[in-house]
Amino acid sequence: VTGGNISAASGDDGMHASGNLTISEGTIDITKSYEGIEGSIVTIDGGTISVTASDDGINCAGGSDTGSTDRMGADQFSAQEGVELNINGGTINIDGDGLDSNGNFTMAGGTVYVCGPTNGGNGALDYNGTATVTGGTLIACGAVGMEEGFGDNSTQYSVLHDLGSTVSANEKLTITDSDGKEILSFTPTKTWQSVVFTSADLKEGETYTITAGSQSETVTIDGIVTSNSKGMSFGRGHGGGRGF
């Protein structure tokens, strides 16, 4: 996709490629889908993308899309070779289970907002290989239980943080620095408790305040990945699989 305006509503995939799917420009609005954007390798270099999905907003997996147990959306615990999600640019808004790669996930640019799952059996970020961030901005909110963050093979700082209790829908989330300057903000339209965020503005040793509804908690960046999570990634923001 190199330009134009695409609007789609589907009972299955909003956009599907059995091989590679690359978006470099254009406006894509998927208002209804099971999985919004699907392919073995999905690369987003630019454009404005909005996805509403009952399952994954973006899904990367190998195999056929037959509706059987080997359909592309089927979860597998081992990383699939030749399966990648690459985000290098663009503005992406996801309302669904989030970003799912059965292989690797790399982010080098762009701006991504994920209003993720309310079910603890899913994560706003879900990957079977590695998740690496070197640039860009992302805020992904979801449930506690299967949450995952970026791996320590990244070069840009990121945080995976679970709040003490669930946040109501339509409560604004803000992340501010020690001077009270707003670094990031997002208003999820569903309940959530876990958030992953990354930005070039994050600095090691700095303390940031996460505020959502009546909750306000601080986090100090103590490494390339900072996490208090006890979910499936065991709080590490691992770089090598699901932690099983």
Side-chain angles (χ1 to χ4, degrees):
V1 180
T2 58
N5 298 302
I6 297 172
S7 181
S10 171
D12 194 12
D13 302 330
M15 299 180 71
H16 173 85
S18 296
N20 298 353
L21 193 155
T22 300
I23 300 168
S24 57
E25 291 292 345
T27 300
I28 297 170
D29 186 14
I30 299 173
T31 58
K32 177 185 176 183
S33 64
Y34 174 67
E35 289 180 328
I37 296 173
E38 185 174 74
S40 294
I41 299 178
V42 175
T43 300
I44 300 174
D45 294 324
T48 301
I49 300 166
S50 177
V51 173
T52 299
S54 59
D55 195 45
D56 300 323
I58 300 177
N59 180 67
C60 301
S64 61
D65 191 9
T66 61
S68 65
T69 56
D70 68 345
R71 88 182 291 277
M72 287 192 69
D75 287 334
Q76 299 182 31
F77 293 144
S78 59
Q80 293 181 298
E81 291 188 10
V83 173
E84 301 173 6
L85 171 58
N86 304 303
I87 298 177
N88 303 311
T91 300
I92 304 164
N93 284 274
I94 302 291
D95 185 341
D97 281 353
L99 308 176
D100 186 350
S101 174
N102 283 9
N104 297 331
F105 169 36
T106 62
M107 183 171 181
T111 302
V112 180
Y113 300 97
V114 177
C115 182
T118 57
N119 179 342
N122 294 300
L125 300 186
D126 184 356
Y127 57 94
N128 293 7
T130 60
T132 305
V133 58
T134 62
T137 300
L138 176 142
I139 310 177
C141 297
V144 165
M146 302 287 277
E147 66 272 21
E148 292 185 284
F150 286 102
D152 53 16
N153 55 339
S154 300
T155 59
Q156 178 169 288
Y157 295 107
S158 68
V159 173
L160 168 59
H161 190 86
D162 296 346
L163 291 173
S165 60
T166 301
V167 180
S168 299
N170 299 310
E171 294 278 8
K172 185 179 180 180
L173 161 66
T174 60
I175 297 154
T176 55
D177 65 14
S178 57
D179 294 324
K181 178 185 176 182
E182 184 177 291
I183 302 298
L184 297 166
S185 66
F186 180 44
T187 304
T189 57
K190 297 183 291 189
T191 61
W192 63 278
Q193 189 174 351
S194 178
V195 60
V196 181
F197 60 90
T198 184
S199 166
D201 291 330
L202 299 180
K203 296 178 175 59
E204 187 167 14
E206 290 291 318
T207 297
Y208 299 89
T209 301
I210 302 169
T211 303
S214 61
Q215 299 184 70
S216 184
E217 300 183 10
T218 60
V219 58
T220 300
I221 304 296
D222 59 7
I224 203 69
V225 176
T226 301
S227 174
N228 72 341
S229 170
K230 299 297 187 292
M232 67 179 297
S233 59
F234 300 105
R236 296 196 302 117
H238 65 82
R242 288 178 168 263
F244 288 135

